[in-house]
Amino acid sequence: MATTKPYTPPYGQYQGTELHRNPGMPAARTAAFDLPSRVGQRLHYPDGRVLSFPATTEAAPA
């Protein structure tokens, strides 16, 4: 089985290290970034999935 090396970008290529999460910040402060965003009638998830927003019914409370 062939082993694969982790990707190393070419020298001088932008790394975006300032975009990583701050290690001193509690996880609760960034929990919203793991949730989907609603755009119209669709939910856009961080992993790229796009699902229809669940239909809501306007039933009167019992």
Side-chain angles (χ1 to χ4, degrees), residues 17-46:
T17 53
E18 73 277 7
L19 300 176
H20 294 233
R21 293 188 178 171
N22 184 344
M25 190 181 321
R29 286 193 52 198
T30 59
F33 294 114
D34 298 328
L35 300 173
S37 297
R38 182 176 176 182
V39 180
Q41 291 300 315
R42 293 193 173 116
L43 293 174
H44 293 257
Y45 287 84

